[in-house]
Amino acid sequence: MLIQLQGVQKRYLPGRDAAVNALLDIDLTVQPGERMAVLGPSGCGKTTLLSILGLLSRPTCGSVRIDGTEVSVFSSDRLARTRRERIGFVFQSYNLLPREPAWRNVMFPLVFAGTQRRERRRRALAALEEVGLGSRANHTPAQLSGGEKQRVAIARALIHRPELLLADEPTGNLDSKTGRDILGLFTRIAEQTKSSVVLVTHDSSVAAWARRRVEMRDGRLCGNNAP
Ligand SMILES: Nc1ncnc2c1ncn2[C@@H]1O[C@H](COP(=O)(O)OP(=O)(O)OP(=O)(O)O)[C@@H](O)[C@H]1O
Ligand SMILES: [Mg+2]
């Protein structure tokens, strides 16, 4: 999947506070199969950038194109379909359903895909195995450690083999060995499915895994961001 941002700005208008310019003038192309790390200090706009790439939020102005088509012309149906069929998202705060066991959290993307119940369960268990959590399938999020919750979120994002994986500090709660295992998993899946991976990280070994690194400061990309 080819995704192109041009002149993208995102302005938040929180309550009575002053507006926040979270993104200013972002030009960025993510090529099919590309691995990219987004770096920068807290508050510089990394999560906001990911949410625009993931079609979870619309820019205040500027253009977002997928495979050459402007996303703002998509119907809400097409937007939702693109998001759940082609994109996988690992949220910074995981966003797991608190009352559901790990396996049901993981199989969710398959519900929308119309996969049969038994097959959903089988694939969810396999996805949990892939992230080293085969023995925690029936635990609810409250019964999991921080790093385990993070891995459930990763399994959920990968279960439908998305063309674009967006991950917000996916190894932030993992020890270095588990973090390396997860990067190994990303590599395998990205190579199998030719998918692109964009991840936000503060970890230099994770950044080194990406073939391209882009740095952000105060809502702007800085440094050499050429593809
Ligand atoms: N929904 C919102 N309403 C108002 N302001 C917001 C909202 N979301 C983010 N912001 C502001 O936009 C700026 C960018 O936020 P963002 O979450 O993208 O930063 P970040 O780079 O991901 O930071 P961190 O590394 O701490 O996760 C911040 O100043 C934040 O306070
Ligand atoms: Mg963030």
Side-chain angles (χ1 to χ4, degrees), residues 23-100:
L23 295 179
L24 287 161
D25 238 1
I26 302 280
D27 292 324
L28 183 69
T29 299
V30 183
Q31 301 288 347
E34 186 163 41
R35 290 187 204 167
M36 183 189 298
V38 180
L39 314 165
S42 177
C44 71
K46 304 179 298 296
T47 297
T48 305
L49 176 65
L50 234 55
S51 74
I52 299 234
L53 288 170
L55 314 183
L56 293 166
S57 102
R58 285 179 187 272
T60 309
C61 62
S63 133
V64 179
R65 276 179 292 163
I66 287 187
D67 297 332
T69 309
E70 178 62 47
V71 167
S72 62
V73 308
F74 282 18
S75 66
S76 54
D77 248 22
R78 181 167 176 201
L79 201 63
R81 221 174 338 108
T82 305
R83 221 164 28 218
R84 57 180 196 237
E85 290 173 3
R86 304 183 65 188
I87 300 175
F89 210 108
V90 182
F91 294 91
Q92 198 167 8
S93 47
Y94 319 139
N95 288 10
L96 300 177
L97 301 167
R99 289 177 205 287
E100 301 286 351

Side-chain angles (χ1 to χ4, degrees), residues 165-180:
L165 173 67
L166 300 166
D168 208 340
E169 300 197 38
T171 61
N173 253 312
L174 304 180
D175 61 274
S176 53
K177 155 92 173 62
T178 311
R180 276 199 306 278

